[in-house]
Amino acid sequence: MSHRPDRREFLRLSGAAAAASCLPGAGFAAWTPSRARKTKRVVLIAFAGGVRSRETLGAPQNVPALTQMAREGVVYPNVKVANLGHFGAALALFTGVGEAMGIRENARGVYPTLFEYLRSQLGLGAGDVWLSTSGGNQYTNFSYSTHPKFGEAFGANLISGDGVFNADFKALVQDLGVPKALEGDEAAKLDRLRDVIATPGGSAPGVNDPATVRRIEGYIVEELSGKTAQITGPGQSDRKAIRVANNILRLFRPKVLAITLLNADAAHGSYNGYVEIIRKNDEEIGKLLKTIQDDPELRDSTAVIAVPEFGRDKNLNERNGLDHGDGSEDLQRVAAFCWGPDFQRGKIVDKLVSSVDICPTVCELFGAKAEYSKAKVLPQLFES
Amino acid sequence: MRVDPSFQRLVCIDLLGRTALPEERRAWSQGSLSAEQLLDELLARREFWETWYENQLFFYLLLDNFRPATAALDELPQQLLEGRLGVREALRAVLISSSFNARNPGPDTFVSTVLEQNLGITVQKQPALLEAGKKMYDGYRGKLLNAAGASQADVVRIVVEQEGFLAHYLAREHRAIFGHDLPKAELEAAVKRLAAAPLEYPRILREWLLSERYRERAQRRRTKSDHAFIRSLYVDLLGRVPTYEEHQRIRNAMQSFSDAAPLRSVISRMLLDSGKVMLPENAAADPQGFVRESFQRFYGRAPSAEEERGYLAALKQGQVSPSLVWKALLTHPEYQTY
């Protein structure tokens, strides 16, 4: 039977891990996950298109996967949101700061994201930290901030599934064909040929190291031959983002994998369309949970957290849709679902918490600290 | 003095957003073309202004559905080439286009974008300025940056007429080529010059590219923009520039990654394996010539003795095919830089 530390021991261990990670020169080799935790990976799903609790917690038939997470994990039905514009509110989940960014802003935030905290403090490589986004130029800004101490060097690998696995790119693939698989020892020969090249003055530094570039290259080729590009219909961008994330999890086993979903904002024009998107997304989340549960390595080491950036109005608009601007409880209180090996099971925490608490909570799981965030770790989350 | 091939490659990428076409390389390798003559030739091409225009559209994110599709804007490169218009007026035409308006709908977004992208103003730090601009956008008479106006077009006019507009423009053009800021005194002089002579930009650019600073920049490798990478790849492998659709499809895909390096390699392999690429005929008969020509074509330099030895040994022993050699060169980080 595994050892479960009590609260005092837990705090001591996580504090020690955090302190160790801040030592100068603490790098990837120096990092070991907190012995107090089983969690080695976190998947953070941000419903960044505005989703009310009524259609999730209040309608289990819509969301069997989230319901499973609730049954086997911790639910926070009273999560106060940080901003009422999609962009700033979603960014707040990643920075742990109530962002002032407007709905149409297309700029990186000034506060570090959880990706930057984790890469900086734990010495993780870019291949360990991924963000799969449903699309939109704005949302690529989530991978890193403009903070002078952090920034691109500590950013997440970002992939927008709808940008690369879309009809346009598919047409190019149909025209040119998928690259031929390297046969026999061709891959090794290719590596040897590349190793001979000595770029005068050295190559410009890249986000990923060469080995990770090769792995991502292989992943793209696999995706081009797979089914992600074939997803069509309403909410396709979200489903692609989850499908891509599922494949990234399977192939790269990153420490942190975030997914931003946007299609629920179709609610402005159609309530029924909005509910359908929630259902379809939940189906894909169910597949993600299954990937985790079917994999011996992932099963006991992966946590999943799902939370909307905000809800939606209480009443339908004149188009039978749902806007977001009435200041109602439906808009300003959302439900967060936490599922993982270190979390309590079947627990509902009614206490008022905040969406900005997500960032320090993810950091805490790895023994890192969101140093520019004043938010708190979600209470009563961990098994005692 | 005859211009060297590495300079040819560098200015070709910086001015035309691509490497040299086979016929250009042939022409430039004969005769005694100087750096000055090469620059004069490139700057006098419509393609230079077309590349400039595409770069501006990319800067303002006027892409895909937001790409201007009016005859007037399509004519900008030709007008710039013929000296009927300077860069300041051309940019003003872009900013007052319906595409720019559609891309930045509403007073808040429009005024914020115009101020931020053209003057480098952080509007969050100057809320009164933003409010003044928004009122003017909405048709109220008022003052913005000490100039009077009463319309959306006036917001653009006032911003474009600022000296800071030219400073901001020249600074970003310099950064795009050199990767760092233009020294302040030089920037101020260039702004004055361009303000007094609106058609002066190509000559300012010519001086930058003939400067010692540009020689120094050549020693530091910089990552090719997606635009330059795609166009260069097509030129290097197919001997032609990509069509607009080919370019758009690939660039949009590359924008989907924070690190496009893996996708760049995949696309290089796709093209190589597509059956559309002709490998040089001398590959088998003259492996040394093949290796040297390949390094020159893709990297703009000769192979080092060690590189040549390594590649020749692998080719002569039949361990690798010419196609695999090209795959190695194209998927190496060096090909992503220039």
Side-chain angles (χ1 to χ4, degrees):
Chain A
M1 193 171 161
S2 62
H3 169 66
R4 286 182 182 163
D6 62 25
R7 178 176 164 74
R8 181 168 297 177
E9 188 185 358
F10 158 69
L11 288 171
R12 183 179 59 75
L13 286 169
S14 58
S21 67
C22 294
L23 289 172
F28 182 65
W31 177 66
T32 51
S34 167
R35 272 176 290 173
R37 298 271 161 70
K38 298 171 199 156
T39 304
K40 310 262 191 314
R41 294 172 188 81
V42 174
V43 179
L44 171 58
I45 304 169
F47 295 109
V51 174
R52 297 193 304 190
S53 298
R54 280 201 221 196
E55 282 75 46
T56 57
L57 204 55
Q61 69 279 11
N62 287 341
V63 289
L66 290 180
T67 304
Q68 179 195 343
M69 287 175 65
R71 198 170 52 242
E72 298 170 2
V74 184
V75 178
Y76 295 87
N78 283 308
V79 180
K80 182 179 62 176
V81 303
N83 179 317
L84 295 176
H86 293 293
F87 183 60
L91 184 58
L93 298 173
F94 295 100
T95 60
V97 177
E99 295 284 349
M101 309 288 271
I103 189 169
R104 295 198 188 281
E105 284 188 62
N106 184 12
R108 297 190 184 279
V110 295
Y111 293 101
T113 61
L114 61 90
F115 311 116
E116 295 163 85
Y117 287 131
L118 293 173
R119 284 200 60 195
S120 157
Q121 293 175 27
L122 306 180
L124 301 180
D128 283 324
V129 183
W130 279 83
L131 171 61
S132 174
T133 173
S134 170
N137 290 333
Q138 278 180 310
Y139 293 86
T140 60
N141 292 315
F142 287 178
S143 61
Y144 59 88
S145 70
T146 59
H147 195 285
K149 270 181 66 183
F150 295 88
E152 185 176 8
F154 300 105
N157 250 309
L158 179 138
I159 178 169
S160 163
D162 198 43
V164 64
F165 306 119
N166 62 12
D168 261 3
F169 195 70
K170 202 173 158 189
L172 185 83
V173 175
Q174 277 167 350
D175 181 32
L176 299 178
V178 174
K180 288 177 191 155
L182 296 168
E183 291 175 352
D185 59 354
E186 268 190 326
K189 287 176 179 169
L190 189 60
D191 280 342
R192 279 202 294 276
L193 284 174
R194 282 191 289 235
D195 287 345
V196 173
I197 300 166
T199 303
S203 292
V207 173
N208 289 289
D209 60 75
T212 307
V213 169
R214 299 291 155 241
R215 289 182 68 206
I216 298 173
E217 202 181 311
Y219 157 73
I220 295 168
V221 173
E222 188 174 306
E223 284 281 19
L224 291 177
S225 324
K227 292 181 178 167
T228 305
Q230 293 163 15
I231 296 176
T232 56
Q236 57 168 300
S237 313
D238 278 2
R239 282 183 285 144
K240 280 180 189 172
I242 307 172
R243 186 78 61 89
V244 162
N246 199 343
N247 292 340
I248 288 170
L249 184 65
R250 196 167 45 78
L251 294 169
F252 293 90
R253 297 169 186 273
K255 299 281 185 287
V256 180
L257 169 61
I259 310 169
T260 54
L261 307 175
L262 309 170
N263 292 150
D265 203 35
H268 284 293
S270 163
Y271 175 79
N272 289 340
Y274 154 74
V275 172
E276 186 58 19
I277 285 163
I278 290 172
R279 287 179 180 153
K280 292 280 187 194
N281 283 350
D282 189 80
E283 262 179 50
E284 292 294 332
I285 292 171
K287 290 174 192 167
L288 186 73
L289 296 182
K290 189 167 184 322
T291 296
I292 293 168
Q293 288 176 314
D294 289 350
D295 186 304
E297 187 191 335
L298 298 176
R299 187 167 49 222
D300 299 318
S301 65
T302 308
V304 181
I305 298 174
V307 62
E309 94 284 37
F310 52 65
R312 305 202 76 88
D313 288 354
K314 183 179 176 186
N315 297 314
L316 294 177
N317 60 24
E318 65 276 14
R319 299 178 300 279
N320 279 332
L322 282 172
D323 297 327
H324 46 89
D326 68 352
S328 65
E329 286 280 302
D330 284 83
L331 175 62
Q332 302 198 62
R333 295 281 185 277
V334 295
F337 301 80
C338 304
W339 179 87
D342 291 306
F343 302 159
Q344 297 204 63
R345 292 174 67 88
K347 175 86 177 169
I348 298 172
V349 181
D350 281 319
K351 188 175 180 209
L352 183 67
V353 295
S354 174
S355 61
V356 293
D357 296 340
I358 298 295
C359 170
T361 301
V362 173
C363 289
E364 172 70 18
L365 273 164
F366 291 96
K369 184 166 169 46
E371 57 192 280
Y372 291 92
S373 166
K374 289 178 181 163
K376 296 170 180 166
V377 174
L378 289 169
Q380 301 174 52
L381 175 62
F382 298 103
E383 286 186 321
S384 56
Chain B
M1 195 173 79
R2 193 176 150 195
V3 65
D4 64 77
S6 62
F7 182 81
Q8 286 172 17
R9 185 167 183 273
L10 213 56
V11 292
C12 223
I13 293 175
D14 279 332
L15 296 181
L16 306 183
R18 63 167 174 80
T19 44
L21 290 161
E23 57 269 28
E24 290 170 333
R25 278 189 284 137
R26 272 195 300 274
W28 294 340
S29 66
Q30 294 156 5
S32 55
L33 190 74
S34 67
E36 289 82 356
Q37 286 169 324
L38 175 64
L39 288 174
D40 289 340
E41 183 190 326
L42 296 179
L43 290 167
R45 288 189 188 183
R46 182 183 158 105
E47 189 183 3
F48 161 69
W49 286 109
E50 286 170 342
T51 305
W52 177 90
Y53 180 55
E54 290 301 326
N55 288 341
Q56 307 310 315
L57 295 185
F58 187 72
F59 174 70
Y60 291 119
L61 288 177
L62 301 182
L63 309 168
D64 305 329
N65 296 336
F66 296 107
R67 184 185 164 77
T70 63
L73 284 169
D74 285 347
E75 269 304 296
L76 281 184
Q78 189 63 31
Q79 289 179 309
L80 286 156
L81 177 67
E82 292 172 5
R84 287 187 277 142
L85 206 62
V87 290
R88 181 185 240 173
E89 278 309 297
L91 291 172
R92 193 182 72 81
V94 171
L95 292 171
I96 59 167
S97 69
S98 56
S99 300
F100 187 83
N101 181 53
R103 183 72 183 86
N104 301 286
D108 191 75
T109 307
F110 186 90
V111 177
S112 297
T113 307
V114 168
L115 290 171
E116 285 174 356
Q117 287 200 283
N118 297 293
L119 298 177
I121 289 171
T122 305
V123 291
Q124 291 94 329
K125 291 180 183 167
Q126 299 194 49
L129 184 66
L130 176 61
E131 284 311 308
K134 283 161 67 176
K135 281 192 174 163
M136 191 177 286
Y137 173 102
D138 281 333
Y140 295 101
R141 186 160 293 283
K143 281 197 166 183
L144 177 70
L145 298 164
N146 295 322
S151 68
Q152 189 179 352
D154 284 341
V155 172
V156 171
R157 174 183 53 77
I158 290 166
V159 166
V160 170
E161 285 173 358
Q162 299 297 306
E163 201 167 86
F165 176 84
L166 289 181
H168 198 66
Y169 163 73
L170 287 168
R172 73 175 161 85
E173 291 288 324
H174 187 275
R175 265 196 306 275
I177 293 172
F178 291 84
H180 59 78
D181 290 335
L182 182 63
K184 197 176 169 202
E186 280 187 52
L187 176 64
E188 285 170 0
V191 168
K192 276 190 187 145
R193 200 168 142 196
L194 192 53
L199 305 181
E200 197 66 359
Y201 177 62
R203 278 175 285 278
I204 293 173
L205 186 54
R206 184 181 187 275
E207 287 168 23
W208 287 353
L209 298 179
L210 290 171
S211 68
E212 188 54 37
R213 207 163 51 239
Y214 193 65
R215 301 263 167 204
E216 288 164 13
R217 174 259 170 268
Q219 307 306 313
R220 297 185 311 274
R221 304 198 73 83
R222 297 190 54 219
T223 302
K224 288 176 194 159
S225 67
D226 288 340
H227 179 77
F229 179 86
I230 298 162
R231 283 167 58 86
S232 298
L233 182 68
Y234 269 72
V235 166
D236 290 344
L237 288 182
L238 302 178
R240 66 168 176 87
V241 293
T243 64
Y244 176 73
E245 286 73 24
E246 288 168 334
H247 180 269
Q248 180 198 29
R249 285 169 182 165
I250 299 174
R251 185 166 69 179
N252 286 352
M254 285 179 177
Q255 298 284 305
S256 303
F257 289 85
S258 55
D259 179 11
L263 184 62
R264 287 180 173 196
S265 290
V266 169
I267 290 168
S268 301
R269 286 173 54 191
M270 280 165 70
L271 259 181
L272 262 178
D273 291 343
S274 67
K276 299 180 179 187
V277 175
M278 296 283 289
L279 281 158
E281 288 170 0
N282 69 340
D286 178 14
Q288 186 179 48
F290 168 70
V291 169
R292 287 181 178 179
E293 204 279 326
S294 298
F295 269 77
Q296 202 64 54
R297 179 190 291 216
F298 300 132
Y299 294 166
R301 67 174 175 90
S304 68
E306 196 173 335
E307 287 169 335
E308 186 170 304
R309 254 197 316 276
Y311 274 73
L312 280 180
L315 275 167
K316 283 179 179 167
Q317 290 161 15
Q319 291 175 356
V320 301
S321 64
S323 170
L324 201 69
V325 166
W326 275 21
K327 219 166 265 184
L329 293 173
L330 289 169
T331 61
H332 188 272
E334 181 163 342
Y335 189 67
Q336 312 231 357
T337 60
Y338 73 113

